Amino acid sequence: MTAEAFNEELYWSVIDILNGLLTGTIIGGYYAMISIGLAMTFGVMRLVNLAHGDFIIVGAYLAVVLLNFLPISPFFTLTIVIPIMFCLGYVLQRVLLNHVSVQAMERKGLSANYGLMAPILVTFGLGIFISHVLLGIFESDARQLKNSLAFSAIRLSEDLNISLLRFIFFGLGIVILILLHLYLTRTHAGRAIRAASDDAEVSPLMGINTAHVYGLALGISMAIAGAAGVMIGMIRTFQPFDGPQFLLIAFGTVIIGGLGSIVGSLVGGILLGITQVLAGTYFGPSAQLVGGYMLILFVLAFKPQGLFSK
Amino acid sequence: MSISEHKRGFFAEEGRGGKRPLLTVSELSAYYGELRALFDVEFQVMPGEVLAIIGANGAGKSTLLKSMVGMMNRGKTAHTTGSIDMRGRRLDQLTTEKIVDAGVTMVPEGRRLFPRLTVEENLLTGAYLPRCREASEDKLVEMLDMFPRFAERRTQIVSQMSGGEQQMVAVARALMSDPQVVLFDELSLGLAPAIVDDIYEKVQQINQAGVTCIVIEQDMKRALRVSNHVLVMLEGAIVLEGDPKDLNEDQVSSAYFGSEIGRASA
C-alpha cells in the first residue's frame, strides 16, 4: 500500500467515526426528547405509559391541523401544540389515570398489584384508541410538516456535514431539558413533583395534592412528547400507527440512561444514537437497529438500573 | 355516645385548666379494612401544651396520629369515624393537605424524608402551601438558624446524612408549613440517647415559640418529663390520662401494660 492510499484510508475512517459521533449525538438529542416524558411518568407515578409513542404522533397531527388554518412555519406550531398537549395530559391524568393508580386501587380495597397493572392496560388501550381515531380523521396517508429547512445542511468540511434541522432540534431539545431541570429544581411545583415521586404517601403532609401533581407530571410529559412529535413531523413522514416505534426508542433510551434522570435521558439518547449510526456505517443499514438493541441488552445485562440512575 | 355529650365536646368553651381546647377529639374510631384499631377515643388538646401519648406497640398511638392528619382516610383500606374538631372546623372531613393548611402537621415515624432531594429542597417542599410560599426563603433561614448543623450541608442529599440529622431535617421540614400543632411520631426511634436529648431540646424550643406539640414516646420517663399532659393507650383506647405531676409511675406502667401485668410487675 502506498503512503498516499494509506492516508486516504485513514482520512475516511476518521470521517466515518466523526460522522457517527456527530450524527449520533444530534439524533441522541431528539431521542432524549422522545424519552424524557416516559421516564418522568414512570419516575413520578410508576406509570408505564404504553401510549407515549401515540402522544408523540398526536403532537405531529396537531401541527398538521394548525398548519391547515394558519399560514405559519411549522416551528411556530410548537407554541400552540405544547400548551394543548399539556392540558390534554393534565386532564387525562385527573379524569382517567388517577382512577386506576396504586392509590386508587388501595382506596377500593384492592391489592397494589392491580394499581401497577391497570394503568399499563389502560394506556395500552388508549394507544390503540388514539391511533384509530387518528386513522379515522386523517386516513393512512403519510404526512410531513413541510418546511424550508428540510434539505439544508451545515457543512463542517468537504466530507462532513449535518442536517440543519436536526441540529436545530438538538439545540431545542437541550433548551427544553434545561428548562425542565430548572422547573423541577427551582419551583415549588417542580419540587412537589419530585417529592411525590420519592414518597407519595408522605407528600400530602407538605400540603401537596398528589392528584394535581400527577396531572402536572403527565401534562409536562405530553407537552414534551408533542414537541418531539412536531420535530419528527418536520424531519420525516408519519402515519397514525407510527407511535409504537417511538415508544421503543423511548424505552431503549430510558433503559440505557436510567430512570428519573434528565442527564441520563440525554446521554442514553446520545449513546443509542451513536451506536446506531456507527453500526450502520460499519455493518450496513440493516445493522442500525440491531446495534441499538445490542447496546440496550448489554446495559440490561450489566447495569440494569441504567447508566445514570441514582 | 349521646348527641348532647358530643355537643359538649364540640362547643366546649372550657377544657382542662379553664382554657378553650385547640383540638377536640370525640368518639374517634379507626379501622384498617374490617379490623378496628381505635375504640371511641376522646381527648382534648390545649393550645401551647406538650401532650405525650404513651403505650405499648400496637396500642394504636400511630394510628391515632395518622387519623388526626387524615392519613387514615383511604377508602376501603382504612377509614375513621367520629370527629376531630379544631375550633369549630371538622378536620376529620378534610384531606391531609387541607389539614396541613389548617395548621396541623406531623413528623412521621421513620422520618420519611424525600431521599433524593437535598436538605434545602426537603425544607422548601415543607413550604409548598400557597400561604407559605412567599415567606419560604425567610423560613428557611430561620430553620438554618435553629439547626445550625444544616447550614453547611444544605445542598447535601438527605439520604447521605445520619439518622439524627435526618430526624432534625424532618422536624424542620414540618415547621416550614408554619403549623399551630405538630404531631411527632416516635421521634427517638433508632437514635442514640444523646441525639434524642438534642431533638427534645428542639421540641421544647418549638413549644416555647407557641406551637402545640403532641409526641408519641416509647421512653415512659422521658414522656412524663417533657409533657404537660399524658395519655396512656392500651389496645386502641385511652386507659389513663392526666398531668404527669399527678401521675405516679406505677399508675402509668399498670395502665401501659394492662392492669394485671402492671400489678404483677409493680
Side-chain angles (χ1 to χ4, degrees):
Chain A
M1 196 195 285
T2 65
E4 205 171 294
F6 177 77
N7 279 342
E8 170 98 10
E9 199 157 297
L10 185 69
Y11 171 78
W12 281 111
S13 30
V14 171
I15 289 287
D16 276 350
I17 290 176
L18 278 181
N19 185 49
L21 292 178
L22 263 177
T23 312
T25 305
I26 298 289
I27 292 179
Y30 123 96
Y31 283 1
M33 292 276 296
I34 291 175
S35 64
I36 189 75
L38 186 79
M40 185 160 166
T41 48
F42 184 81
V44 176
M45 298 166 268
R46 301 289 174 269
L47 169 68
V48 179
N49 179 7
L50 294 182
H52 186 71
D54 300 287
F55 292 156
I56 291 173
I57 299 298
V58 168
Y61 275 106
L62 270 178
V64 168
V65 174
L66 289 169
L67 290 172
N68 263 344
F69 297 108
L70 303 168
I72 52 174
S73 152
F75 280 107
F76 292 105
T77 62
L78 283 175
T79 57
I80 307 172
V81 169
I82 288 177
I84 292 180
M85 291 294 284
F86 175 83
C87 296
L88 284 177
Y90 185 85
V91 171
L92 185 65
Q93 183 68 38
R94 296 225 49 174
V95 304
L96 180 63
L97 293 171
N98 275 346
H99 296 279
V100 293
S101 66
V102 174
Q103 290 95 327
M105 290 299 162
E106 199 196 24
R107 297 191 77 83
K108 291 171 189 155
L110 296 169
S111 132
N113 291 335
Y114 286 94
L116 292 174
M117 205 55 214
I120 295 180
L121 294 176
V122 167
T123 56
F124 182 65
L126 197 63
I128 295 173
F129 173 75
I130 290 172
S131 50
H132 281 87
V133 168
L134 291 176
L135 181 70
I137 301 173
F138 299 99
E139 303 184 335
S140 62
D141 305 337
R143 307 275 185 137
Q144 188 163 17
L145 304 174
K146 291 204 172 50
N147 62 90
S148 53
L149 296 175
F151 298 105
S152 311
I154 305 174
R155 246 178 97 128
L156 298 170
S157 83
E158 204 178 320
D159 300 304
L160 201 58
N161 47 52
I162 45 177
S163 148
L164 175 62
L165 206 51
R166 291 205 167 196
F167 183 74
I168 292 174
F169 292 157
F170 178 75
L172 201 58
I174 301 276
V175 168
I176 289 181
L177 295 185
I178 290 173
L179 288 177
L180 178 64
H181 175 76
L182 290 177
Y183 176 77
L184 290 175
T185 52
R186 303 288 161 87
T187 68
H188 284 282
R191 278 191 295 264
I193 290 175
R194 287 165 60 219
S197 140
D198 268 4
D199 194 333
E201 206 186 335
V202 157
S203 48
L205 279 176
M206 312 298 120
I208 295 168
N209 177 347
T210 49
H212 169 68
V213 161
Y214 288 173
L216 290 181
L218 190 66
I220 293 168
S221 166
M222 276 185 65
I224 299 174
V230 173
M231 295 181 187
I232 289 166
M234 289 172 74
I235 290 174
R236 43 158 284 180
T237 61
F238 54 91
Q239 288 166 286
F241 288 97
D242 279 352
Q245 54 175 293
F246 296 110
L247 180 67
L248 275 182
I249 293 173
F251 270 129
T253 305
V254 165
I255 287 168
I256 296 167
L259 281 162
S261 149
I262 294 177
V263 177
S265 290
L266 184 60
V267 178
I270 289 174
L271 284 179
L272 185 60
I274 290 176
T275 312
Q276 285 186 348
V277 175
L278 287 181
T281 308
Y282 291 112
F283 306 105
S286 58
Q288 263 201 10
L289 287 177
V290 178
Y293 289 123
M294 294 274 283
L295 175 67
I296 293 167
L297 286 177
F298 193 75
V299 171
L300 271 179
F302 295 100
K303 201 154 187 298
Q305 72 274 34
L307 300 178
F308 284 83
S309 73
K310 284 171 193 161
Chain B
M1 168 184 78
S2 71
I3 300 227
S4 64
E5 241 179 328
H6 178 76
K7 286 198 165 171
R8 202 179 60 215
F10 209 85
F11 294 106
E13 282 299 315
E14 286 203 0
R16 275 181 276 118
K19 277 199 269 182
R20 187 181 172 211
L22 182 59
L23 290 171
T24 305
V25 176
S26 315
E27 281 227 319
L28 183 71
S29 294
Y31 302 80
Y32 291 98
E34 302 289 306
L35 184 80
R36 193 168 179 185
L38 289 182
F39 295 83
D40 298 324
V41 170
E42 302 208 337
F43 63 96
Q44 292 176 332
V45 182
M46 296 299 140
E49 75 177 350
V50 177
L51 176 74
I53 302 173
I54 56 180
N57 282 334
K61 308 179 300 285
S62 285
T63 302
L64 175 58
L65 291 203
K66 278 189 194 158
S67 305
M68 291 175 74
V69 289
M71 289 176 84
M72 288 292 287
N73 299 330
R74 282 151 58 196
K76 285 193 175 164
T77 302
H79 72 282
T80 61
T81 59
S83 75
I84 302 162
D85 175 90
M86 185 183 190
R87 300 264 156 102
R89 198 161 171 205
R90 286 284 296 271
L91 297 187
D92 54 290
Q93 292 167 351
L94 300 179
T95 57
T96 300
E97 56 270 21
K98 294 271 166 58
I99 293 173
V100 176
D101 201 8
V104 181
T105 191
M106 178 166 82
V107 178
E109 184 180 347
R111 309 181 278 275
R112 303 287 288 268
L113 295 174
F114 303 114
R116 290 178 296 179
L117 271 56
T118 65
V119 172
E120 186 175 300
E121 286 173 334
N122 263 282
L123 296 184
L124 287 173
T125 305
Y128 172 78
L129 286 167
R131 69 170 166 80
C132 309
R133 285 184 195 181
E134 204 171 317
S136 64
E137 291 294 329
D138 296 340
K139 199 81 189 165
L140 183 67
V141 172
E142 194 185 309
M143 287 303 127
L144 295 175
D145 272 353
M146 186 171 172
F147 300 92
R149 262 196 261 180
F150 300 165
E152 72 253 35
R153 324 189 67 167
R154 51 198 283 184
T155 55
Q156 194 174 354
I157 303 289
V158 288
S159 53
Q160 298 164 351
M161 301 175 91
S162 72
E165 287 165 337
Q166 289 192 18
Q167 188 63 276
M168 299 280 193
V169 177
V171 171
R173 182 182 65 175
L175 295 177
M176 290 293 289
S177 68
D178 216 357
Q180 283 177 271
V181 185
V182 183
L183 319 179
F184 298 93
D185 194 353
E186 301 272 11
L187 267 181
S188 51
L189 199 71
L191 298 180
I195 295 167
V196 178
D197 287 341
D198 280 358
I199 291 174
Y200 271 99
E201 210 173 285
K202 298 295 179 195
V203 172
Q204 300 270 294
Q205 213 177 318
I206 293 162
N207 181 243
Q208 274 154 21
V211 178
T212 305
C213 300
I214 301 179
V215 297
I216 289 183
E217 179 50 62
Q218 288 284 358
D219 179 345
M220 203 187 300
K221 287 196 178 112
R222 189 186 289 279
L224 295 175
R225 198 165 63 234
V226 298
S227 63
N228 316 109
H229 196 76
V230 181
L231 302 180
V232 185
M233 290 188 74
L234 180 72
E235 290 170 0
I238 293 173
V239 287
L240 181 70
E241 143 165 39
D243 189 319
K245 289 195 289 287
D246 306 333
L247 296 171
N248 65 51
E249 230 173 270
D250 291 345
Q251 240 180 326
V252 176
S253 46
S254 73
Y256 186 104
F257 293 111
S259 50
E260 297 305 317
I261 310 167
R263 245 176 252 135
S265 69

